[in-house]
C-alpha cells in the first residue's frame, strides 16, 4: 500500500500512455496519487484525470517559475477549484532561484498569496523549493504557514531546515534523489525525520530513482523510494509503506 503524493500524470510526457502508466503503478501497490497542477493547462488536465480515476486526487496552484503569469483572476479560479471534493491541496507553490524565469520579488509575492489562500481555505500547501532554502523558511514563518501546514515536496534542505519545517506543521517528502548513490544529504535527513512525518513521492516524469535515473520517471517507481527509506531507517518496507500512506491520508483528509 503506497501513496505517491506528488506526480505529474498531466505532463506531456504521459500524453500517449497515461493509462498504462497508471495501471503499472496500481500493480506495484500504489493505492492513491496526487496529480499536481501548476498552471492553467496542467490544472485542467489534472481535473480530467481525477474525474476519470477514483483513486487520483489533485493539487492546484501556481509554480514559482511562472509566477509572472499569476493574475488575480487565476488566483480566484484556484480558490473556486478548491471546492472540488477531490482537490486536496494548494500548490505546488514556492520559490525557484535555479531557473529564475520570474523575478524573485514576483515569485515571493505569488508564494505569499498562495499561503494566505491555503490558510483561508484550511487546506495544506505543497511547497517547491529550489536553491531558495532561507527565503522559503523566512516566508513560511512570516506568513504563519503552520496554520495551513502541508508538504515540503522533494525535500532538498539539510537536517536543520527539516526540523524548522516540522515545527511549522509540514511533512517532509522524499523522491528519487534519496536513492541516488552520491546523494548524502537527503539520506541524512531521511534518517532523522520521524516516520510519522514523512511522505514519499515520484515527481514523475522527473527525477527517476536509481536504477532508472535519467529516464522518464513514473509513479510505480515510488516503491523504490519507500524501499530506500526503509533501508536507511532500518525498518521493514511494509512499515514505511503503511505509515507514509496513513500520513498522506491524514494530511489530505482522505478516509
Amino acid at each position: 500500500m503506497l501513496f505517491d503524493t506528488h506526480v505529474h500524470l498531466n505532463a506531456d510526457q504521459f500524453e500517449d500512455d497515461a493509462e498504462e502508466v497508471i495501471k503499472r503503478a496500481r500493480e506495484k501497490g500504489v493505492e492513491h496519487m496526487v496529480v499536481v497542477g501548476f498552471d492553467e493547462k496542467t490544472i485542467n488536465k489534472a481535473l480530467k484525470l481525477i474525474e476519470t480515476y477514483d483513486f487520483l486526487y489533485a493539487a492546484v496552484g501556481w509554480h514559482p517559475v511562472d509566477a509572472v503569469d499569476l493574475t488575480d483572476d487565476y488566483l480566484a479560479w484556484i480558490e473556486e477549484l478548491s471546492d472540488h471534493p477531490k482537490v486536496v491541496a494548494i500548490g505546488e507553490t514556492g520559490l525557484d532561484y535555479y531557473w529564475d524565469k520570474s523575478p524573485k520579488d514576483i515569485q515571493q509575492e505569488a508564494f505569499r498569496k498562495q499561503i494566505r489562500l491555503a490558510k483561508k481555505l484550511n487546506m495544506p500547501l505543497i511547497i517547491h523549493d529550489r536553491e531558495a532554502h532561507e527565503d522559503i523558511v523566512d516566508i513560511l514563518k512570516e506568513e504563519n504557514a503552520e496554520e495551513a501546514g502541508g508538504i515540503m515536496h522533494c525535500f532538498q534542505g539539510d537536517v536543520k531546515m527539516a526540523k524548522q519545517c516540522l515545527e511549522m506543521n509540514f511533512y517532509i517528502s522524499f523522491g528519487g534523489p534519496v536513492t541516488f548513490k552520491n546523494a548524502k544529504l537527503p539520506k541524512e535527513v531521511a534518517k532523522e525525520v520521524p516516520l510519522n512525518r514523512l511522505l514519499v513521492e515520484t515527481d514523475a516524469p522527473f527525477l527517476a530513482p536509481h536504477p532508472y535515473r535519467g529516464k522518464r520517471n513514473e509513479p510505480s517507481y515510488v516503491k523504490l523510494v519507500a524501499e530506500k527509506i526503509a533501508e536507511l531507517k532500518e525498518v521493514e518496507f511494509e512499515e514505511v509503506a503503511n505509515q507514509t500512506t496513513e500520513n498522506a491520508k491524514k494530511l489530505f483528509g482522505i478516509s
Side-chain angles (χ1 to χ4, degrees), residues 206-240:
F206 316 108
L207 295 174
H210 178 78
Y212 302 103
R213 187 175 184 180
K215 299 180 181 179
R216 185 187 73 169
N217 199 2
E218 59 178 73
S220 62
Y221 298 164
V222 76
K223 184 176 182 182
L224 297 170
V225 177
E227 287 174 342
K228 174 54 70 172
I229 289 171
E231 176 189 323
L232 292 168
K233 298 185 83 64
E234 298 181 344
V235 298
E236 295 295 324
F237 161 76
E238 288 77 11
E239 183 178 354
V240 172

Side-chain angles (χ1 to χ4, degrees), residues 103-193:
K104 291 181 180 179
D105 60 330
I106 293 176
Q107 288 192 44
Q108 291 171 11
E109 185 57 29
F111 185 25
R112 291 179 187 276
K113 287 179 178 179
Q114 290 177 84
I115 294 172
R116 293 166 192 166
L117 179 60
K119 288 165 57 179
K120 175 182 177 182
L121 299 171
N122 194 29
M123 295 182 73
L125 287 151
I126 295 179
I127 307 298
H128 174 102
D129 167 25
R130 191 162 188 190
E131 298 188 4
H133 303 337
E134 186 174 342
D135 284 352
I136 286 279
V137 170
D138 287 346
I139 290 173
L140 290 174
K141 288 179 178 178
E142 290 165 9
E143 295 292 337
N144 297 313
E146 71 275 3
E147 294 176 21
I151 302 173
M152 303 305 296
H153 143 65
C154 201
F155 189 76
Q156 298 179 21
D158 58 15
V159 171
K160 178 183 177 182
M161 182 183 176
K163 290 180 178 178
Q164 290 175 309
C165 294
L166 291 170
E167 289 171 359
M168 289 188 286
N169 197 26
F170 282 83
Y171 287 78
I172 307 297
S173 183
F174 293 97
V178 79
T179 72
F180 297 168
K181 292 181 179 179
N182 59 346
K184 295 180 181 179
L185 191 57
K187 291 181 173 67
E188 290 175 4
V189 178
K191 290 178 182 178
E192 293 294 327
V193 175

